[in-house]
Amino acid sequence: MLDMNDPLIALANVIDWKIFENEFAIFYSKDGSPAKPIRLMVGLLILKHLRNISDESVVEQWSENNYYQYFCGEHVFQPC
């Protein structure tokens, strides 16, 4: 249960995520290990810069923060 008035939710809902998916899809290979979703990768980078935190910290906080997960495209809380 999230507060739909939260600034991260508002921001997530106005970003056109398809632009990122269309632009970055060419860098993803159909061969090899499955890739992480583009929205997750872009979302984590945005959160890292918004919060001025390290790569390690944004990943750690993502696993504990429902709002970060929503921002990155999750619809169900992922505890890890």
Side-chain angles (χ1 to χ4, degrees), residues 9-24:
I9 290 182
L11 180 58
N13 290 336
V14 297
I15 293 174
D16 185 357
W17 296 100
K18 284 287 181 200
I19 291 172
F20 296 108
E21 292 171 8
N22 293 338
E23 291 295 320
F24 294 136

Side-chain angles (χ1 to χ4, degrees), residues 2 5 9-10 18 20 28 32 36 41 43-44 46-47 49 56 61 63-64 69 72-73 79-80:
L2 302 174
N5 295 315
I9 290 182
K18 284 287 181 200
F20 296 108
Y28 279 63
K36 298 292 184 194
M41 303 308 292
L44 289 172
I46 292 170
L47 289 169
H49 288 282
E56 294 82 8
Q61 290 181 38
S63 69
E64 301 169 345
Q69 291 189 24
C72 294
C80 56

Side-chain angles (χ1 to χ4, degrees), residues 34-45:
K36 298 292 184 194
I38 292 171
R39 178 165 176 180
L40 173 63
M41 303 308 292
V42 172
L44 289 172
L45 183 62

